[in-house]
Amino acid sequence: LRSGETLRLEPGGAEVRVRGLQVHHGPVQVAGSGRTAVNVAGADLEQLARGAVLTSGPGIDSTDRLLVALAPPATLGTPPGRGTAPVWPPRDGTSARLHIGTAQVDVVVGRRGREGVELPDGRVGAVLRLATPVATFVGDRGVLRRSSPGDVVAGLVVLDPRPAQGISRRRVTTERLAALAGAVTDGDIDAAADALVGLHGALGPDRVAAVVAALMRPGSDAPPRPAPRTGLVFAPDVRDALESAALDAVATLHRDHPLETGLPLATLRQLLRMALRRLATVRRENAAAVDDVLATVIDDLVARRRLARDGDRLREPARDAGPPPALAAAMDRLEVLLDVPAPPDLADAARAAGCPPEGIRALEAAGRIARVAADLAWAAPSFHRLAATALALARRGPL
């Protein structure tokens, strides 16, 4: 702690400034570990309660739900209490008192859902629902006790202060939960970050940074980990599923509409957004980053030659960039029919040429026809000749 620095007070997230520090009743400018008196500005007195935490940067979360790994009391070296022996594993709906850090809060143990699995090391998963929020972090440790007579129910390690919600809860499996529990217990930063992303399917870089900060112990000789990239971080299976969805969408277009030159980029992005909603929950604060990440998925497919891109359209690389021969011939016929001063209605001309709507759109995109109304178009040479004539007449007098 340094006098004058700005910190964050959790729970609540209030910004406070350190006005002064005292150690052994004497003022100091810098305080390390040990008992310290801190004079702060920017917080109400009731916010500075037992269990409150001063912090900076990522790592600490305020939460009233915790994904935890519970360990049986016997493994804690705790002498048996005077009451009845605790039931192991705790039943769903068990009420207990959570002691974590210096905080104490009433909780309800949830083990009915996917999180309540038995882990290979003898622990069990659970979601704790807290009566009031606490400040905690990935890897934090605590104890569950009965409120009366005080027997230990379980020891615990915090696996995720912000458990998966919505569609991401379907991703909670014994294997993924065991991978996260093992990595957090071992303090393996890379494995824990990857396991948390795998559990959620998609996480913002702030959540990955929180895991890194929480497990990077002071004085650790581990090499510094690069800062997480901006945007969402997808689990490998989610990214693979999005790539497959993109390839399937383009293949379906070619199968159902063989005359189309490719799938519009905007359409593909919309299809991938819908696919992502079926794969993982994206938190509101990360919603704006979805399009950026989907763009990288598409760009990567193009770079690996899984897809080809022509302007704003995507096609299979094996298909020619131009229209199929039958469509090209129909487009040529339509262009000839429109290359007159007074062309027929566009619908009649297209019908006579056997040119479908996608051919008309391709002619417009290529600048081969000029469409001035819903059913009025000229071939580009005739249109430009008429425009030149109109300009020449306008120079001599009003039209």
Side-chain angles (χ1 to χ4, degrees), residues 54 84 102 104 116 133 141 146 150 155 160 164 203 219 240 265 323 359 395:
L54 289 174
T84 58
T102 58
Q104 301 179 31
R141 297 173 184 269
R146 290 199 188 102
D160 188 359
L203 279 184
D240 290 345
L265 180 60
R395 290 190 189 100

Side-chain angles (χ1 to χ4, degrees), residues 12-86:
E15 190 175 89
V16 300
R17 182 173 58 85
V18 179
R19 298 177 59 184
L21 301 168
Q22 288 191 4
V23 176
H24 299 307
H25 306 289
V28 296
Q29 291 300 309
V30 180
S33 59
R35 189 177 181 89
T36 305
V38 187
N39 185 345
V40 297
D44 296 330
L45 185 59
E46 57 267 20
Q47 292 177 277
L48 299 169
R50 183 180 183 91
V53 173
L54 289 174
T55 184
S56 63
I60 302 294
D61 280 291
S62 295
T63 180
D64 59 2
R65 292 177 72 247
L66 292 173
L67 174 63
V68 299
L70 300 178
T75 64
L76 306 179
T78 304
R82 291 173 294 178
T84 58

